[in-house]
Amino acid sequence: MLHMVTSFGVAGIDSFPVRTEVNVSFGMPAFEIVGLPDATVRESRERVKAAIVNSGYKMPEERITINLAPADRKKEGPCFDLPIAIGLLACKRDVPGASLDGVAFIGELSLNGAIQPVRGALPMTLAARHAGLKAIVLPAGNAMEVRCVDGITILPASHISQVVDHLAGKKPLESITPVPYTQLLSERTFASDFMHVKGQTAAKRALEIAAAGGHNVLLIGPPGSGKTLLARCMPSILPDMSFEEALEVTRIHSVSGSIPESGLITERPFRAPHHTASQPSLVGGGSNAMPGEISRAHNGVLFLDELPEYSRSVLETLRQPMEDGFVTITRANATAVYPSSFTLVCSMNPCPCGNYGSRTQTCRCSAVDIRRYLNRVSGPLLDRIDLHVEVVSMEASEIAAPTLSESSASIRERVCAARSIQAERFKGTSIRTNARLDARSLSVHCKLTPGANAILQQACSVMSLSNRAATRVIKVARTIADLAGASTISESHLAEAIQYRSLDRKYWS
């Protein structure tokens, strides 16, 4: 007897349909799974057997063959436990075969029949909707993750017996009522706000420009000057993610198994890996080509604290994703492309002791020590960081000041206004922010006044700016002009953009 159950597998952040063919035939008792399964899928034999028996059903005693089609794509993970079990129960007539039509099943089974959450539930649900299926049965633990998906009936279940009763018509499963994305946005809260950051007017202005244009930032200053707090406030001034962006971010976190309890991710990610992070953990990798921190920071902020403390080889791997907005992970048995369009915010001390340039402490480092410390960060990486900002130590009177600074909500209004100008400017293209301008678009959208052009030429000569650094100065100036509501880049806009490269000469000359 043969029954077919629809399921889905995951490749990268995308999902593909898998036809689970369950055949029970006469012959010596056996249980074979074919169709390029990995070790986790092969182990499902024991989980499925125990779950069926411990749930009060009978296991077929004939020869069992499970084929996961298409056979040329590798199947990974325990998400095929539930469709295999349902197929076997259909062969035993505990489940009507007709009830399987147009329904997808995903879920891991415990030995007692409980259905456990799986990775990739969101991309699998979206793929089921795209395939035209009428419903999908998935673990109750994944319900929050997919609660914004409409166009398909989502049936969460916590035990295999509930699925059997539903398919047999005894007790239908209760479907999820889709939650509007706007409602989820209203439930957000930010842990950090710029109103609690004392002083640092110049650094706040630089972060506002970075948020408005999607630019990368380097904060340089002594310990305790507020670099980390400034970085953690960055997501609070970024524009809200669109529903499509939220789905993309959640898909990445879904396949990596890092979905929060709230389900769909509505806040822009903020990822802060430790400086001892390895290359695979930062960029992605492992035997199954899983996404790394730069992909988990997609559409959000990647914060690298104490930048020179990271391994140089690890930092150099950031160069290509920063330019392209995606990373390709290739392994012996898997290849995946993950989006990695993030805003990089870095922080570092100006010297080994951290007090070079401090207004309150004395630096103990020699010129050689300072140069050796700063040279841990390569020139090509620095070229890709648009704004270099000096964060000064605070005076006692500034720290004790009772007044609050400008709130993140107020700054976000200006950022959103600048982003709206860019959205109109780049309508019909793949470009979303000024930081992503290509060479052709740069000449079209970044017109300089004669005075601004003269200032740029002088800066390139005096500061020895590379072609990439000069291009990034123009992009930053375009964002400053957008914040000012100007259509052309003037002298003042370009002069402010150039001052954010002045640390190149001050520290690295």
mmCIF file with all atom_site columns, all heavy atoms in Angstrom, residues 314-339:
data_model
loop_
_atom_site.group_PDB
_atom_site.id
_atom_site.type_symbol
_atom_site.label_atom_id
_atom_site.label_alt_id
_atom_site.label_comp_id
_atom_site.label_asym_id
_atom_site.label_entity_id
_atom_site.label_seq_id
_atom_site.pdbx_PDB_ins_code
_atom_site.Cartn_x
_atom_site.Cartn_y
_atom_site.Cartn_z
_atom_site.occupancy
_atom_site.B_iso_or_equiv
_atom_site.pdbx_formal_charge
_atom_site.auth_seq_id
_atom_site.auth_comp_id
_atom_site.auth_asym_id
_atom_site.auth_atom_id
_atom_site.pdbx_PDB_model_num
ATOM 1   N N   . VAL A 1 314 ? 39.580 37.115 10.310 1.00 0.00 ? 314 VAL A N   1
ATOM 2   C CA  . VAL A 1 314 ? 38.124 37.171 10.456 1.00 0.00 ? 314 VAL A CA  1
ATOM 3   C C   . VAL A 1 314 ? 37.591 38.488 9.915  1.00 0.00 ? 314 VAL A C   1
ATOM 4   O O   . VAL A 1 314 ? 36.593 38.526 9.191  1.00 0.00 ? 314 VAL A O   1
ATOM 5   C CB  . VAL A 1 314 ? 37.731 36.976 11.938 1.00 0.00 ? 314 VAL A CB  1
ATOM 6   C CG1 . VAL A 1 314 ? 36.245 37.260 12.138 1.00 0.00 ? 314 VAL A CG1 1
ATOM 7   C CG2 . VAL A 1 314 ? 38.052 35.561 12.397 1.00 0.00 ? 314 VAL A CG2 1
ATOM 8   N N   . LEU A 1 315 ? 38.264 39.595 10.253 1.00 0.00 ? 315 LEU A N   1
ATOM 9   C CA  . LEU A 1 315 ? 37.807 40.899 9.792  1.00 0.00 ? 315 LEU A CA  1
ATOM 10  C C   . LEU A 1 315 ? 37.866 41.006 8.271  1.00 0.00 ? 315 LEU A C   1
ATOM 11  O O   . LEU A 1 315 ? 36.994 41.630 7.652  1.00 0.00 ? 315 LEU A O   1
ATOM 12  C CB  . LEU A 1 315 ? 38.655 42.006 10.425 1.00 0.00 ? 315 LEU A CB  1
ATOM 13  C CG  . LEU A 1 315 ? 38.479 42.237 11.927 1.00 0.00 ? 315 LEU A CG  1
ATOM 14  C CD1 . LEU A 1 315 ? 39.401 43.347 12.400 1.00 0.00 ? 315 LEU A CD1 1
ATOM 15  C CD2 . LEU A 1 315 ? 37.032 42.577 12.267 1.00 0.00 ? 315 LEU A CD2 1
ATOM 16  N N   . GLU A 1 316 ? 38.883 40.419 7.664  1.00 0.00 ? 316 GLU A N   1
ATOM 17  C CA  . GLU A 1 316 ? 39.022 40.538 6.214  1.00 0.00 ? 316 GLU A CA  1
ATOM 18  C C   . GLU A 1 316 ? 37.889 39.827 5.476  1.00 0.00 ? 316 GLU A C   1
ATOM 19  O O   . GLU A 1 316 ? 37.573 40.172 4.338  1.00 0.00 ? 316 GLU A O   1
ATOM 20  C CB  . GLU A 1 316 ? 40.375 39.985 5.764  1.00 0.00 ? 316 GLU A CB  1
ATOM 21  C CG  . GLU A 1 316 ? 41.573 40.781 6.265  1.00 0.00 ? 316 GLU A CG  1
ATOM 22  C CD  . GLU A 1 316 ? 41.465 42.262 5.944  1.00 0.00 ? 316 GLU A CD  1
ATOM 23  O OE1 . GLU A 1 316 ? 41.394 42.609 4.755  1.00 0.00 ? 316 GLU A OE1 1
ATOM 24  O OE2 . GLU A 1 316 ? 41.441 43.068 6.894  1.00 0.00 ? 316 GLU A OE2 1
ATOM 25  N N   . THR A 1 317 ? 37.271 38.837 6.105  1.00 0.00 ? 317 THR A N   1
ATOM 26  C CA  . THR A 1 317 ? 36.159 38.143 5.446  1.00 0.00 ? 317 THR A CA  1
ATOM 27  C C   . THR A 1 317 ? 34.916 39.028 5.335  1.00 0.00 ? 317 THR A C   1
ATOM 28  O O   . THR A 1 317 ? 33.982 38.691 4.599  1.00 0.00 ? 317 THR A O   1
ATOM 29  C CB  . THR A 1 317 ? 35.785 36.857 6.206  1.00 0.00 ? 317 THR A CB  1
ATOM 30  O OG1 . THR A 1 317 ? 35.392 37.195 7.544  1.00 0.00 ? 317 THR A OG1 1
ATOM 31  C CG2 . THR A 1 317 ? 36.957 35.894 6.251  1.00 0.00 ? 317 THR A CG2 1
ATOM 32  N N   . LEU A 1 318 ? 34.901 40.151 6.053  1.00 0.00 ? 318 LEU A N   1
ATOM 33  C CA  . LEU A 1 318 ? 33.748 41.056 5.988  1.00 0.00 ? 318 LEU A CA  1
ATOM 34  C C   . LEU A 1 318 ? 33.750 41.906 4.728  1.00 0.00 ? 318 LEU A C   1
ATOM 35  O O   . LEU A 1 318 ? 32.718 42.461 4.351  1.00 0.00 ? 318 LEU A O   1
ATOM 36  C CB  . LEU A 1 318 ? 33.747 41.987 7.214  1.00 0.00 ? 318 LEU A CB  1
ATOM 37  C CG  . LEU A 1 318 ? 33.534 41.360 8.587  1.00 0.00 ? 318 LEU A CG  1
ATOM 38  C CD1 . LEU A 1 318 ? 33.662 42.432 9.658  1.00 0.00 ? 318 LEU A CD1 1
ATOM 39  C CD2 . LEU A 1 318 ? 32.183 40.685 8.664  1.00 0.00 ? 318 LEU A CD2 1
ATOM 40  N N   . ARG A 1 319 ? 34.872 42.020 4.070  1.00 0.00 ? 319 ARG A N   1
ATOM 41  C CA  . ARG A 1 319 ? 34.996 42.976 2.974  1.00 0.00 ? 319 ARG A CA  1
ATOM 42  C C   . ARG A 1 319 ? 34.032 42.677 1.833  1.00 0.00 ? 319 ARG A C   1
ATOM 43  O O   . ARG A 1 319 ? 33.343 43.578 1.337  1.00 0.00 ? 319 ARG A O   1
ATOM 44  C CB  . ARG A 1 319 ? 36.448 43.002 2.482  1.00 0.00 ? 319 ARG A CB  1
ATOM 45  C CG  . ARG A 1 319 ? 37.379 43.692 3.458  1.00 0.00 ? 319 ARG A CG  1
ATOM 46  C CD  . ARG A 1 319 ? 38.832 43.301 3.305  1.00 0.00 ? 319 ARG A CD  1
ATOM 47  N NE  . ARG A 1 319 ? 39.329 43.535 1.947  1.00 0.00 ? 319 ARG A NE  1
ATOM 48  C CZ  . ARG A 1 319 ? 40.592 43.316 1.588  1.00 0.00 ? 319 ARG A CZ  1
ATOM 49  N NH1 . ARG A 1 319 ? 41.465 42.877 2.481  1.00 0.00 ? 319 ARG A NH1 1
ATOM 50  N NH2 . ARG A 1 319 ? 40.974 43.532 0.341  1.00 0.00 ? 319 ARG A NH2 1
ATOM 51  N N   . GLN A 1 320 ? 33.966 41.434 1.394  1.00 0.00 ? 320 GLN A N   1
ATOM 52  C CA  . GLN A 1 320 ? 33.072 41.098 0.278  1.00 0.00 ? 320 GLN A CA  1
ATOM 53  C C   . GLN A 1 320 ? 31.594 41.230 0.648  1.00 0.00 ? 320 GLN A C   1
ATOM 54  O O   . GLN A 1 320 ? 30.813 41.844 -0.094 1.00 0.00 ? 320 GLN A O   1
ATOM 55  C CB  . GLN A 1 320 ? 33.395 39.696 -0.238 1.00 0.00 ? 320 GLN A CB  1
ATOM 56  C CG  . GLN A 1 320 ? 32.519 39.230 -1.394 1.00 0.00 ? 320 GLN A CG  1
ATOM 57  C CD  . GLN A 1 320 ? 31.353 38.367 -0.933 1.00 0.00 ? 320 GLN A CD  1
ATOM 58  O OE1 . GLN A 1 320 ? 31.466 37.661 0.063  1.00 0.00 ? 320 GLN A OE1 1
ATOM 59  N NE2 . GLN A 1 320 ? 30.244 38.430 -1.646 1.00 0.00 ? 320 GLN A NE2 1
ATOM 60  N N   . PRO A 1 321 ? 31.128 40.706 1.798  1.00 0.00 ? 321 PRO A N   1
ATOM 61  C CA  . PRO A 1 321 ? 29.715 40.906 2.155  1.00 0.00 ? 321 PRO A CA  1
ATOM 62  C C   . PRO A 1 321 ? 29.333 42.369 2.330  1.00 0.00 ? 321 PRO A C   1
ATOM 63  O O   . PRO A 1 321 ? 28.210 42.759 1.992  1.00 0.00 ? 321 PRO A O   1
ATOM 64  C CB  . PRO A 1 321 ? 29.581 40.144 3.486  1.00 0.00 ? 321 PRO A CB  1
ATOM 65  C CG  . PRO A 1 321 ? 30.679 39.141 3.471  1.00 0.00 ? 321 PRO A CG  1
ATOM 66  C CD  . PRO A 1 321 ? 31.808 39.797 2.740  1.00 0.00 ? 321 PRO A CD  1
ATOM 67  N N   . MET A 1 322 ? 30.256 43.204 2.820  1.00 0.00 ? 322 MET A N   1
ATOM 68  C CA  . MET A 1 322 ? 29.952 44.623 2.984  1.00 0.00 ? 322 MET A CA  1
ATOM 69  C C   . MET A 1 322 ? 29.714 45.296 1.640  1.00 0.00 ? 322 MET A C   1
ATOM 70  O O   . MET A 1 322 ? 28.909 46.224 1.527  1.00 0.00 ? 322 MET A O   1
ATOM 71  C CB  . MET A 1 322 ? 31.099 45.325 3.733  1.00 0.00 ? 322 MET A CB  1
ATOM 72  C CG  . MET A 1 322 ? 31.174 44.974 5.216  1.00 0.00 ? 322 MET A CG  1
ATOM 73  S SD  . MET A 1 322 ? 32.686 45.572 6.000  1.00 0.00 ? 322 MET A SD  1
ATOM 74  C CE  . MET A 1 322 ? 32.473 47.343 5.867  1.00 0.00 ? 322 MET A CE  1
ATOM 75  N N   . GLU A 1 323 ? 30.400 44.843 0.604  1.00 0.00 ? 323 GLU A N   1
ATOM 76  C CA  . GLU A 1 323 ? 30.238 45.422 -0.728 1.00 0.00 ? 323 GLU A CA  1
ATOM 77  C C   . GLU A 1 323 ? 29.013 44.865 -1.442 1.00 0.00 ? 323 GLU A C   1
ATOM 78  O O   . GLU A 1 323 ? 28.256 45.596 -2.076 1.00 0.00 ? 323 GLU A O   1
ATOM 79  C CB  . GLU A 1 323 ? 31.495 45.144 -1.568 1.00 0.00 ? 323 GLU A CB  1
ATOM 80  C CG  . GLU A 1 323 ? 32.730 45.893 -1.105 1.00 0.00 ? 323 GLU A CG  1
ATOM 81  C CD  . GLU A 1 323 ? 32.675 47.365 -1.454 1.00 0.00 ? 323 GLU A CD  1
ATOM 82  O OE1 . GLU A 1 323 ? 31.908 47.742 -2.356 1.00 0.00 ? 323 GLU A OE1 1
ATOM 83  O OE2 . GLU A 1 323 ? 33.401 48.147 -0.819 1.00 0.00 ? 323 GLU A OE2 1
ATOM 84  N N   . ASP A 1 324 ? 28.809 43.541 -1.356 1.00 0.00 ? 324 ASP A N   1
ATOM 85  C CA  . ASP A 1 324 ? 27.790 42.877 -2.172 1.00 0.00 ? 324 ASP A CA  1
ATOM 86  C C   . ASP A 1 324 ? 26.430 42.769 -1.503 1.00 0.00 ? 324 ASP A C   1
ATOM 87  O O   . ASP A 1 324 ? 25.410 42.638 -2.186 1.00 0.00 ? 324 ASP A O   1
ATOM 88  C CB  . ASP A 1 324 ? 28.267 41.473 -2.568 1.00 0.00 ? 324 ASP A CB  1
ATOM 89  C CG  . ASP A 1 324 ? 29.541 41.513 -3.402 1.00 0.00 ? 324 ASP A CG  1
ATOM 90  O OD1 . ASP A 1 324 ? 29.815 42.563 -4.009 1.00 0.00 ? 324 ASP A OD1 1
ATOM 91  O OD2 . ASP A 1 324 ? 30.260 40.493 -3.449 1.00 0.00 ? 324 ASP A OD2 1
ATOM 92  N N   . GLY A 1 325 ? 26.390 42.767 -0.160 1.00 0.00 ? 325 GLY A N   1
ATOM 93  C CA  . GLY A 1 325 ? 25.114 42.619 0.524  1.00 0.00 ? 325 GLY A CA  1
ATOM 94  C C   . GLY A 1 325 ? 24.645 41.189 0.653  1.00 0.00 ? 325 GLY A C   1
ATOM 95  O O   . GLY A 1 325 ? 23.513 40.926 1.063  1.00 0.00 ? 325 GLY A O   1
ATOM 96  N N   . PHE A 1 326 ? 25.500 40.229 0.309  1.00 0.00 ? 326 PHE A N   1
ATOM 97  C CA  . PHE A 1 326 ? 25.172 38.811 0.498  1.00 0.00 ? 326 PHE A CA  1
ATOM 98  C C   . PHE A 1 326 ? 26.471 38.040 0.659  1.00 0.00 ? 326 PHE A C   1
ATOM 99  O O   . PHE A 1 326 ? 27.563 38.538 0.347  1.00 0.00 ? 326 PHE A O   1
ATOM 100 C CB  . PHE A 1 326 ? 24.368 38.259 -0.687 1.00 0.00 ? 326 PHE A CB  1
ATOM 101 C CG  . PHE A 1 326 ? 25.127 38.225 -1.993 1.00 0.00 ? 326 PHE A CG  1
ATOM 102 C CD1 . PHE A 1 326 ? 25.909 37.139 -2.343 1.00 0.00 ? 326 PHE A CD1 1
ATOM 103 C CD2 . PHE A 1 326 ? 25.065 39.302 -2.866 1.00 0.00 ? 326 PHE A CD2 1
ATOM 104 C CE1 . PHE A 1 326 ? 26.617 37.118 -3.533 1.00 0.00 ? 326 PHE A CE1 1
ATOM 105 C CE2 . PHE A 1 326 ? 25.769 39.298 -4.058 1.00 0.00 ? 326 PHE A CE2 1
ATOM 106 C CZ  . PHE A 1 326 ? 26.554 38.197 -4.395 1.00 0.00 ? 326 PHE A CZ  1
ATOM 107 N N   . VAL A 1 327 ? 26.361 36.825 1.170  1.00 0.00 ? 327 VAL A N   1
ATOM 108 C CA  . VAL A 1 327 ? 27.530 35.964 1.347  1.00 0.00 ? 327 VAL A CA  1
ATOM 109 C C   . VAL A 1 327 ? 27.176 34.567 0.849  1.00 0.00 ? 327 VAL A C   1
ATOM 110 O O   . VAL A 1 327 ? 26.069 34.075 1.083  1.00 0.00 ? 327 VAL A O   1
ATOM 111 C CB  . VAL A 1 327 ? 27.985 35.927 2.826  1.00 0.00 ? 327 VAL A CB  1
ATOM 112 C CG1 . VAL A 1 327 ? 26.879 35.394 3.740  1.00 0.00 ? 327 VAL A CG1 1
ATOM 113 C CG2 . VAL A 1 327 ? 29.250 35.099 2.992  1.00 0.00 ? 327 VAL A CG2 1
ATOM 114 N N   . THR A 1 328 ? 28.098 33.954 0.150  1.00 0.00 ? 328 THR A N   1
ATOM 115 C CA  . THR A 1 328 ? 27.909 32.603 -0.370 1.00 0.00 ? 328 THR A CA  1
ATOM 116 C C   . THR A 1 328 ? 28.746 31.643 0.463  1.00 0.00 ? 328 THR A C   1
ATOM 117 O O   . THR A 1 328 ? 29.973 31.796 0.555  1.00 0.00 ? 328 THR A O   1
ATOM 118 C CB  . THR A 1 328 ? 28.322 32.505 -1.847 1.00 0.00 ? 328 THR A CB  1
ATOM 119 O OG1 . THR A 1 328 ? 27.555 33.448 -2.606 1.00 0.00 ? 328 THR A OG1 1
ATOM 120 C CG2 . THR A 1 328 ? 28.073 31.106 -2.383 1.00 0.00 ? 328 THR A CG2 1
ATOM 121 N N   . ILE A 1 329 ? 28.090 30.672 1.070  1.00 0.00 ? 329 ILE A N   1
ATOM 122 C CA  . ILE A 1 329 ? 28.760 29.666 1.894  1.00 0.00 ? 329 ILE A CA  1
ATOM 123 C C   . ILE A 1 329 ? 28.793 28.363 1.113  1.00 0.00 ? 329 ILE A C   1
ATOM 124 O O   . ILE A 1 329 ? 27.751 27.819 0.740  1.00 0.00 ? 329 ILE A O   1
ATOM 125 C CB  . ILE A 1 329 ? 28.036 29.452 3.244  1.00 0.00 ? 329 ILE A CB  1
ATOM 126 C CG1 . ILE A 1 329 ? 27.826 30.790 3.955  1.00 0.00 ? 329 ILE A CG1 1
ATOM 127 C CG2 . ILE A 1 329 ? 28.813 28.496 4.112  1.00 0.00 ? 329 ILE A CG2 1
ATOM 128 C CD1 . ILE A 1 329 ? 29.102 31.507 4.303  1.00 0.00 ? 329 ILE A CD1 1
ATOM 129 N N   . THR A 1 330 ? 29.980 27.849 0.870  1.00 0.00 ? 330 THR A N   1
ATOM 130 C CA  . THR A 1 330 ? 30.132 26.616 0.111  1.00 0.00 ? 330 THR A CA  1
ATOM 131 C C   . THR A 1 330 ? 30.836 25.579 0.972  1.00 0.00 ? 330 THR A C   1
ATOM 132 O O   . THR A 1 330 ? 31.925 25.837 1.519  1.00 0.00 ? 330 THR A O   1
ATOM 133 C CB  . THR A 1 330 ? 30.943 26.860 -1.179 1.00 0.00 ? 330 THR A CB  1
ATOM 134 O OG1 . THR A 1 330 ? 30.292 27.859 -1.965 1.00 0.00 ? 330 THR A OG1 1
ATOM 135 C CG2 . THR A 1 330 ? 31.048 25.583 -1.993 1.00 0.00 ? 330 THR A CG2 1
ATOM 136 N N   . ARG A 1 331 ? 30.221 24.429 1.104  1.00 0.00 ? 331 ARG A N   1
ATOM 137 C CA  . ARG A 1 331 ? 30.804 23.306 1.816  1.00 0.00 ? 331 ARG A CA  1
ATOM 138 C C   . ARG A 1 331 ? 30.746 22.072 0.933  1.00 0.00 ? 331 ARG A C   1
ATOM 139 O O   . ARG A 1 331 ? 30.161 22.089 -0.149 1.00 0.00 ? 331 ARG A O   1
ATOM 140 C CB  . ARG A 1 331 ? 30.054 23.058 3.146  1.00 0.00 ? 331 ARG A CB  1
ATOM 141 C CG  . ARG A 1 331 ? 30.230 24.191 4.156  1.00 0.00 ? 331 ARG A CG  1
ATOM 142 C CD  . ARG A 1 331 ? 31.684 24.307 4.597  1.00 0.00 ? 331 ARG A CD  1
ATOM 143 N NE  . ARG A 1 331 ? 31.884 25.372 5.579  1.00 0.00 ? 331 ARG A NE  1
ATOM 144 C CZ  . ARG A 1 331 ? 32.260 26.595 5.287  1.00 0.00 ? 331 ARG A CZ  1
ATOM 145 N NH1 . ARG A 1 331 ? 32.457 26.931 4.015  1.00 0.00 ? 331 ARG A NH1 1
ATOM 146 N NH2 . ARG A 1 331 ? 32.448 27.488 6.229  1.00 0.00 ? 331 ARG A NH2 1
ATOM 147 N N   . ALA A 1 332 ? 31.345 20.982 1.395  1.00 0.00 ? 332 ALA A N   1
ATOM 148 C CA  . ALA A 1 332 ? 31.423 19.779 0.567  1.00 0.00 ? 332 ALA A CA  1
ATOM 149 C C   . ALA A 1 332 ? 30.048 19.262 0.172  1.00 0.00 ? 332 ALA A C   1
ATOM 150 O O   . ALA A 1 332 ? 29.840 18.793 -0.947 1.00 0.00 ? 332 ALA A O   1
ATOM 151 C CB  . ALA A 1 332 ? 32.210 18.691 1.310  1.00 0.00 ? 332 ALA A CB  1
ATOM 152 N N   . ASN A 1 333 ? 29.087 19.366 1.106  1.00 0.00 ? 333 ASN A N   1
ATOM 153 C CA  . ASN A 1 333 ? 27.757 18.809 0.835  1.00 0.00 ? 333 ASN A CA  1
ATOM 154 C C   . ASN A 1 333 ? 26.654 19.853 0.816  1.00 0.00 ? 333 ASN A C   1
ATOM 155 O O   . ASN A 1 333 ? 25.480 19.509 0.831  1.00 0.00 ? 333 ASN A O   1
ATOM 156 C CB  . ASN A 1 333 ? 27.420 17.740 1.887  1.00 0.00 ? 333 ASN A CB  1
ATOM 157 C CG  . ASN A 1 333 ? 27.383 18.301 3.296  1.00 0.00 ? 333 ASN A CG  1
ATOM 158 O OD1 . ASN A 1 333 ? 27.816 19.427 3.519  1.00 0.00 ? 333 ASN A OD1 1
ATOM 159 N ND2 . ASN A 1 333 ? 26.894 17.519 4.230  1.00 0.00 ? 333 ASN A ND2 1
ATOM 160 N N   . ALA A 1 334 ? 27.031 21.143 0.802  1.00 0.00 ? 334 ALA A N   1
ATOM 161 C CA  . ALA A 1 334 ? 25.984 22.162 0.818  1.00 0.00 ? 334 ALA A CA  1
ATOM 162 C C   . ALA A 1 334 ? 26.545 23.489 0.336  1.00 0.00 ? 334 ALA A C   1
ATOM 163 O O   . ALA A 1 334 ? 27.702 23.821 0.589  1.00 0.00 ? 334 ALA A O   1
ATOM 164 C CB  . ALA A 1 334 ? 25.413 22.327 2.238  1.00 0.00 ? 334 ALA A CB  1
ATOM 165 N N   . THR A 1 335 ? 25.707 24.237 -0.376 1.00 0.00 ? 335 THR A N   1
ATOM 166 C CA  . THR A 1 335 ? 26.026 25.596 -0.798 1.00 0.00 ? 335 THR A CA  1
ATOM 167 C C   . THR A 1 335 ? 24.791 26.453 -0.551 1.00 0.00 ? 335 THR A C   1
ATOM 168 O O   . THR A 1 335 ? 23.683 26.077 -0.921 1.00 0.00 ? 335 THR A O   1
ATOM 169 C CB  . THR A 1 335 ? 26.407 25.659 -2.285 1.00 0.00 ? 335 THR A CB  1
ATOM 170 O OG1 . THR A 1 335 ? 27.572 24.859 -2.504 1.00 0.00 ? 335 THR A OG1 1
ATOM 171 C CG2 . THR A 1 335 ? 26.705 27.092 -2.705 1.00 0.00 ? 335 THR A CG2 1
ATOM 172 N N   . ALA A 1 336 ? 25.003 27.595 0.084  1.00 0.00 ? 336 ALA A N   1
ATOM 173 C CA  . ALA A 1 336 ? 23.870 28.458 0.406  1.00 0.00 ? 336 ALA A CA  1
ATOM 174 C C   . ALA A 1 336 ? 24.280 29.907 0.222  1.00 0.00 ? 336 ALA A C   1
ATOM 175 O O   . ALA A 1 336 ? 25.430 30.282 0.481  1.00 0.00 ? 336 ALA A O   1
ATOM 176 C CB  . ALA A 1 336 ? 23.394 28.218 1.841  1.00 0.00 ? 336 ALA A CB  1
ATOM 177 N N   . VAL A 1 337 ? 23.334 30.725 -0.227 1.00 0.00 ? 337 VAL A N   1
ATOM 178 C CA  . VAL A 1 337 ? 23.538 32.164 -0.361 1.00 0.00 ? 337 VAL A CA  1
ATOM 179 C C   . VAL A 1 337 ? 22.643 32.856 0.664  1.00 0.00 ? 337 VAL A C   1
ATOM 180 O O   . VAL A 1 337 ? 21.423 32.690 0.635  1.00 0.00 ? 337 VAL A O   1
ATOM 181 C CB  . VAL A 1 337 ? 23.202 32.651 -1.782 1.00 0.00 ? 337 VAL A CB  1
ATOM 182 C CG1 . VAL A 1 337 ? 23.372 34.163 -1.874 1.00 0.00 ? 337 VAL A CG1 1
ATOM 183 C CG2 . VAL A 1 337 ? 24.085 31.950 -2.809 1.00 0.00 ? 337 VAL A CG2 1
ATOM 184 N N   . TYR A 1 338 ? 23.258 33.618 1.564  1.00 0.00 ? 338 TYR A N   1
ATOM 185 C CA  . TYR A 1 338 ? 22.510 34.307 2.605  1.00 0.00 ? 338 TYR A CA  1
ATOM 186 C C   . TYR A 1 338 ? 22.634 35.814 2.419  1.00 0.00 ? 338 TYR A C   1
ATOM 187 O O   . TYR A 1 338 ? 23.736 36.322 2.178  1.00 0.00 ? 338 TYR A O   1
ATOM 188 C CB  . TYR A 1 338 ? 23.028 33.935 3.996  1.00 0.00 ? 338 TYR A CB  1
ATOM 189 C CG  . TYR A 1 338 ? 22.806 32.495 4.375  1.00 0.00 ? 338 TYR A CG  1
ATOM 190 C CD1 . TYR A 1 338 ? 23.875 31.619 4.500  1.00 0.00 ? 338 TYR A CD1 1
ATOM 191 C CD2 . TYR A 1 338 ? 21.526 32.004 4.594  1.00 0.00 ? 338 TYR A CD2 1
ATOM 192 C CE1 . TYR A 1 338 ? 23.678 30.291 4.852  1.00 0.00 ? 338 TYR A CE1 1
ATOM 193 C CE2 . TYR A 1 338 ? 21.313 30.685 4.933  1.00 0.00 ? 338 TYR A CE2 1
ATOM 194 C CZ  . TYR A 1 338 ? 22.397 29.829 5.064  1.00 0.00 ? 338 TYR A CZ  1
ATOM 195 O OH  . TYR A 1 338 ? 22.183 28.521 5.397  1.00 0.00 ? 338 TYR A OH  1
ATOM 196 N N   . PRO A 1 339 ? 21.540 36.563 2.531  1.00 0.00 ? 339 PRO A N   1
ATOM 197 C CA  . PRO A 1 339 ? 21.642 38.027 2.472  1.00 0.00 ? 339 PRO A CA  1
ATOM 198 C C   . PRO A 1 339 ? 22.377 38.555 3.693  1.00 0.00 ? 339 PRO A C   1
ATOM 199 O O   . PRO A 1 339 ? 22.265 38.009 4.790  1.00 0.00 ? 339 PRO A O   1
ATOM 200 C CB  . PRO A 1 339 ? 20.175 38.476 2.455  1.00 0.00 ? 339 PRO A CB  1
ATOM 201 C CG  . PRO A 1 339 ? 19.413 37.350 3.065  1.00 0.00 ? 339 PRO A CG  1
ATOM 202 C CD  . PRO A 1 339 ? 20.159 36.101 2.705  1.00 0.00 ? 339 PRO A CD  1
#
